[in-house]
Amino acid sequence: DIFWLCDVDRDGLLNAAEMRTFASQTGLESMDDAGWKEEFALLCSDNGADPTQGISVQLLEKMVNDTGDGGCYCDDEELRAIKAALELEAKEMARKASTKTPERAALVREVFAAFDGDGDDRLSEQEMHSLAE
């Protein structure tokens, strides 16, 4: 589940940006872009993956179980917390995306027009007051 929550482009591999989503949940959120690129390349090379291709679900599973330097060991509690955080983030992104649909934009325009009594494409203080009630 964690892998698929990170695999935004659904290609079955985590690229640097997608893997960073996972890594930020493990304490690497403060790393700058250049540092992360180096870290991602190192993670890939240490684990036999091509950084231009990304990390497979099998490799991520191996890495979260690896207690050595080449891994990203997470115990069960950490994995549950990461999954919960990523699910919450995914729900928030979906909620934000749903507010940008053409249907919603049309609805907002209809509501605006209904309160724009003088038709000047601006809501006056009085028109805004009516909207707020």
Side-chain angles (χ1 to χ4, degrees):
D1 285 348
I2 290 173
F3 181 90
W4 299 110
L5 288 166
C6 295
D7 188 21
V8 175
D9 61 11
R10 300 288 182 246
D11 68 350
L13 296 167
L14 298 183
N15 61 35
E18 293 166 334
M19 186 62 184
R20 190 172 191 174
T21 299
F22 171 80
S24 70
Q25 298 295 324
T26 64
L28 294 176
E29 67 275 351
S30 62
M31 189 176 289
D32 67 11
D33 290 344
W36 172 247
K37 280 186 172 186
E38 289 178 26
E39 183 68 22
F40 181 73
L42 185 62
L43 278 172
C44 288
S45 67
D46 284 352
N47 289 284
D50 179 352
T52 63
Q53 295 294 309
I55 294 173
S56 68
V57 66
Q58 295 85 2
L59 181 53
L60 183 64
E61 287 176 11
K62 176 184 172 254
M63 291 168 68
V64 299
N65 289 310
D66 183 349
T67 58
D69 291 340
C72 310
Y73 181 78
C74 298
D75 63 31
D76 289 350
E77 186 176 323
E78 289 171 313
L79 290 172
R80 281 191 286 276
I82 290 168
K83 181 181 178 210
L86 291 173
E87 286 173 336
L88 185 61
E89 189 176 305
K91 286 178 186 175
E92 181 63 19
M93 288 175 57
R95 185 192 65 76
K96 286 180 181 177
S98 71
T99 64
K100 296 178 183 176
T101 63
E103 295 83 11
R104 181 164 174 86
L107 182 60
V108 169
R109 284 190 299 275
E110 287 176 32
V111 170
F112 181 90
F115 284 95
D116 185 20
D118 59 10
D120 67 351
D121 288 330
R122 292 183 176 88
L123 296 182
S124 67
E125 183 179 345
Q126 182 179 359
E127 292 165 335
M128 283 296 293
H129 185 70
S130 297
L131 177 65
E133 292 180 329

